[in-house]
């Protein structure tokens, strides 16, 4: 007679053997349920996937369930006397041993079906896609029922087949029956078959890893993130089961040993060094020596006044874009492209500098590349006649890609493999898959025009030659890990080094000059990637500087608003204007001797701040039914302080520009409760439609009436006295 202690003892052993199968099998579907990005992946599957992609999704889900069941029951076989003979099992324990692996496998399908149902609830405005997703959930649920029926009746099915073809009945060898000798014979034969199956799955995983390494950017989006995750989980479960069985047989905690080995190898196998260009592709046209923001601004305003004279003060547009994955990138690029389509080069030529963080850096980088590329006609053309939006359509075609699948495949297949290898393989770095995805997207969007792939060229190539007249300065913000300082990728011709330390930028207090400490030039995609180190999805980037290895995380850790860097630019511009005025003596000379002390044209600064967080207002104090304040308050304060610093930086930036007599315009995302807008690196058509709908609300076509933001920008660009007549649309 078993006591409660016996039950707990053997249940804990079963869980210690099967925790890996349970965690991997249920982990992916659980993320699809609780995470906004996971639900958006299912919406994207229903809206865009057809034929082979859907078959691959259903196959991967079924393979995951089958492997979870099969290998969970295999690790529960009584190795080394860890279990008593089945003849001594209580009836309920026998029932649990039979059904527990089945529940693991069928549960993965049931959770996936539940995730489809939850995601379908938010697809109110796309009823056809919603119905498809509901059908997908029902299909997965049907697969789960069929799977459960098969594993329940598989012995009867096998019994009939073997009796008809071999003359032996499977019921004569019952793995969980009272005859332990029969069980042992069956287990020995079954282990041989399991070993052969294990070898096959290990080889399949090796082939998949090589395929991801070589063609991940091309093939992963064809499957989609959910399918990639399910396939990886299905392939890794047999390996985890083998480790669990070997550990049970040897009585060595192999999972702990393997984890310890990974920690040891991690001392020298970090493969996240950024990519460098061996030779600048624009050799012979290298950037000039750094002169600082002040002289650059003076030269820029003089050139602007000559090329495109203004009736009043020269509008100077400065842009900051907050972080937030592909959501921030899509939002920032669409706003700038829409404004170009509305005002043409009257708007785009007036942009002096842009500061971005994380996904906002990608949006600004897309717009800067399209402006620099003379072959990219839609964003180098004059204002378009409504309803034509060529620049916006070009930005949409560039960002309308699945950037998550390649980096997720790199994370699960190549980069995870690297953690257990004693040698460093740079090509396994998952951050490179994200950068390759951006380069491939730009090549596809601009390739038909025959132009170069600017994303794969050097960052400073944006301002070389005739491109300098079209391209705004681009400042991409990151965070240095070991001391938490702000780090900036800045154009070399304006990145004035701090005389006290060449690692810092003189005009950006305590900010690390990333390009200055790097041993070589790097691509635009790599520069954006240093700013957009999305937590967990992309790793911390490494630069081998002269004084040792420096690591850089997402810029949002320091300031997710990108406002602090733009504030420093505003201060440099204001200081240059004060130097240009020259004080009382210069004013007297200009009055007595016109032309003796020439001054730059008057300017009217305009800040365009692109906000990514929906409705970033002050949140009311929250209280729940239980008081966990003392336990959760420190963590909550740290997380919320990051958001509050961004709000504060935004407010300081607004004060700076208003002190110069300028204007501050914000573009907000709003939580309309129609559909959740996730973070991450892929967006479904439903979410992209929601973003464009919100863009139409703040920047509509002229025929639909102007919003406050559009009126403010139009006034700043065209009114002879904007300081008096223009009001901010924020």
């Amino acid at each position: 007679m078993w006591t409660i202690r016996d039950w707990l003892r053997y249940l804990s052993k079963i869980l210690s053997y099967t925790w890996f199968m349970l965690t991997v099998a249920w982990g992916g579907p659980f993320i699809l349920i609780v995470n906004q990005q996971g639900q958006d992946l299912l919406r994207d599957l229903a809206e865009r996937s057809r034929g082979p992609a859907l078959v691959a999704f259903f196959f991967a889900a079924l393979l995951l369930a089958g492997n979870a069941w099969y290998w969970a029951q295999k690790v529960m076989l009584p190795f080394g006397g860890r279990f008593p003979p089945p003849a001594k099992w209580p009836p309920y324990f026998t029932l649990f041993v039979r059904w527990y692996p089945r529940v693991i496998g069928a549960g993965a399908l049931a959770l996936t079906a539940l995730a489809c149902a939850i995601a379908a609830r938010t697809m109110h405005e796309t009823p056809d896609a919603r119905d498809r997703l509901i059908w997908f959930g029902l299909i997965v649920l049907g697969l789960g029922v069929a799977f459960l029926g098969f594993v329940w009746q598989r012995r009867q099915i096998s019994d009939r087949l073997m009796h008809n073809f071999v003359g032996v009945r499977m019921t004569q060898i019952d793995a969980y029956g009272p005859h332990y000798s029969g069980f042992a014979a069956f287990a020995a034969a079954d282990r041989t078959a399991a070993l052969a199956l294990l070898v096959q799955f290990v080889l399949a995983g090796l082939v998949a890893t090589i395929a991801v390494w070589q063609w991940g950017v091309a093939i992963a989006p064809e499957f989609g993130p959910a399918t990639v995750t399910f396939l990886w989980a299905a392939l890794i479960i047999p390996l985890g089961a083998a480790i669990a069985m070997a550990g049970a047989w040897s009585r060595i905690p192999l999972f702990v040993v393997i984890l310890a080995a990974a920690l040891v190898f991690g001392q020298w196998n970090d493969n996240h060094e950024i990519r460098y260009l061996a030779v600048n592709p624009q050799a012979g046209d290298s950037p000039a020596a750094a002169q600082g923001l002040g002289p650059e601004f003076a030269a820029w305003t003089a050139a602007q006044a000559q090329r495109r004279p203004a009736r009043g003060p020269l509008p100077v547009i400065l842009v900051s874009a907050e972080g937030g994955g592909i959501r921030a990138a899509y939002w920032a690029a669409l706003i700038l492209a829409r404004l170009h389509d509305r005002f043409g080069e009257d708007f785009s030529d007036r942009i002096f500098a842009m500061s971005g963080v994380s996904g906002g850096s990608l949006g600004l980088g897309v717009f800067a590349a399209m402006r620099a590329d003379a072959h990219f006609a839609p964003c180098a053309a004059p204002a378009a006649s409504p309803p034509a939006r060529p620049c916006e359509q070009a930005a949409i075609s560039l960002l309308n890609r699945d950037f998550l699948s390649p980096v997720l495949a790199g994370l699960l297949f190549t980069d995870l493999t690297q953690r257990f290898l004693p040698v460093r393989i740079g090509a396994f770095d998952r951050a490179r898959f994200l950068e390759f995805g951006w380069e491939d997207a730009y090549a596809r969007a601009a390739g038909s025009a025959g132009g170069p792939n600017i994303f794969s060229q050097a960052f400073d190539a944006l301002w070389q030659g005739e491109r300098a007249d079209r391209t705004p300065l681009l400042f991409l913000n990151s965070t240095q890990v070991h001391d938490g300082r702000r780090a900036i990728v800045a154009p070399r011709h304006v990145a004035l080094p701090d005389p006290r330390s060449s690692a810092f930028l003189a005009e950006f207090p305590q900010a690390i000059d990333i390009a200055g400490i790097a041993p070589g030039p790097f691509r635009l995609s790599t520069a954006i990637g240093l700013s957009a180190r999305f937590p967990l999805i992309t790793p911390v980037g490494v630069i081998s500087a002269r004084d040792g290895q420096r690591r850089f995380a997402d810029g949002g850790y320091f300031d997710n608003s990108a406002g602090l860097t733009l504030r420093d630019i505003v201060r440099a511009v204001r200081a240059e204007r004060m130097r240009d005025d020259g004080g009382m003596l210069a004013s007297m000379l200009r009055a007595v001797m016109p032309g003796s002390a020439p001054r730059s044209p008057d300017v009217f600064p305009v800040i365009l701040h692109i906000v990514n967080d929906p409705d970033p207002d002050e949140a009311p104090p929250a209280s729940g039914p239980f008081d966990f304040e003392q336990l959760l308050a420190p963590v909550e304060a740290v997380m919320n302080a990051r958001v509050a610093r961004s709000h504060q930086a935004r407010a300081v930036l607004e004060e700076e520009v208003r002190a110069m007599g300028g204007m501050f315009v914000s573009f907000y995302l709003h939580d309309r409760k129609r559909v959740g807008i996730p973070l991450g690196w892929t967006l479904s058509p439903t979410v992209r439609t929601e973003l464009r709908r919100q863009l139409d609300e703040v920047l509509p076509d002229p025929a639909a009436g102007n919003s406050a933001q559009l009126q403010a920008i139009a006034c700043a660009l065209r009114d002879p006295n904007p300081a008096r007549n223009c009001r901010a649309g924020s």
Side-chain angles (χ1 to χ4, degrees), residues 270 272-276 357-358 429-431 435 476-490 502-505 510-520 522 526-558:
D270 189 347
H272 300 132
E273 180 88 18
I274 68 170
R275 296 181 297 153
Y276 305 102
V357 168
S358 193
D429 180 9
R430 63 186 183 273
E435 296 172 14
L476 307 177
N477 297 273
S478 184
T479 303
Q480 186 165 255
V481 173
H482 74 268
D483 58 7
R485 281 192 171 97
R486 175 177 47 152
I488 304 173
V489 180
S502 59
F504 293 93
L505 290 164
Q510 291 294 301
I512 302 296
D513 179 11
I514 294 181
I517 64 172
F522 43 78
T526 301
I528 296 172
L530 280 168
S531 176
R533 294 277 164 170
F534 201 80
L536 299 181
I537 297 298
T538 43
V540 168
V542 178
I543 292 180
S544 295
R546 289 185 298 272
D547 57 352
Q549 283 194 338
R550 294 174 180 251
R551 289 173 168 80
F552 297 92
D554 193 275
Y557 287 112
F558 187 90

Side-chain angles (χ1 to χ4, degrees), residues 45-46 54 58 116 131-141:
L45 182 74
L54 293 178
F58 294 132
C116 291
D131 293 343
R132 280 198 300 272
L133 188 54
I134 291 174
W135 274 109
F136 293 168
L138 292 175
I139 291 172
V140 173
L141 187 61

Side-chain angles (χ1 to χ4, degrees), residues 50-91:
R50 296 291 185 272
L54 293 178
V55 173
F57 172 74
F58 294 132
F59 171 77
L62 191 58
L63 182 64
L64 172 61
N67 269 354
W69 158 73
Y70 179 82
W71 293 102
Q73 64 155 343
K74 288 295 170 284
V75 302
M76 289 169 59
L77 296 178
F79 284 96
R82 288 295 184 96
F83 285 109
K88 298 182 179 181
W89 292 354

Side-chain angles (χ1 to χ4, degrees), residues 12 94 117 133 165 185 287 450 476 670:
S12 64
T94 302
L133 188 54
F165 294 99
L476 307 177
H670 298 287

Side-chain angles (χ1 to χ4, degrees), residues 277-303:
L277 285 167
V279 179
N280 192 324
Q282 301 290 336
D285 193 14
S286 57
Q291 58 181 345
L293 280 168
E296 174 70 13
F297 180 73
W300 180 84
T301 53

Side-chain angles (χ1 to χ4, degrees), residues 564-713:
L564 289 179
T565 295
L566 203 66
R567 178 205 64 185
D568 294 335
I569 296 173
V570 170
R571 289 178 175 176
V573 167
R574 184 168 62 180
E576 175 61 27
R577 297 300 301 171
M578 294 176 64
R579 285 192 297 268
D580 186 64
D581 288 342
M584 184 179 298
L585 179 59
S587 300
M588 293 173 60
L589 284 173
R590 278 192 289 267
V592 177
M593 302 173 58
S596 61
R599 58 180 296 175
S600 299
D602 291 334
V603 299
F604 180 69
V606 179
I607 299 292
L608 299 186
H609 185 68
I610 302 174
V611 183
N612 175 59
D613 292 327
D615 300 322
D617 298 325
E618 180 183 3
S623 59
F626 302 101
D627 185 9
F628 292 109
E629 179 181 355
Q630 296 301 321
L631 180 64
L632 301 179
V635 176
E636 185 179 7
V638 169
M639 299 300 295
N640 290 336
R642 168 183 169 272
V643 179
R645 283 196 302 270
S646 296
H647 294 177
Q648 183 182 24
R650 188 185 309 146
V652 170
L653 177 61
E654 183 173 359
E655 292 177 1
E656 290 281 347
V657 73
R658 294 196 189 283
M660 293 181 64
M663 187 170 66
F664 188 90
V665 182
S666 294
F667 297 93
Y668 289 95
L669 274 175
H670 298 287
D671 187 1
R672 303 298 193 197
K673 305 301 182 183
R674 292 182 290 229
V675 59
I677 305 177
L679 299 173
W681 287 115
T682 187
L683 294 175
S684 67
T686 294
V687 172
R688 292 197 301 270
T689 300
E690 173 64 19
L691 289 173
R692 290 195 295 272
R693 180 188 292 112
Q694 294 200 24
L695 188 60
D696 289 335
E697 293 172 359
V698 296
L699 293 176
D701 287 328
N706 291 333
S707 66
Q709 287 89 342
L710 191 59
Q711 287 177 343
I713 294 168

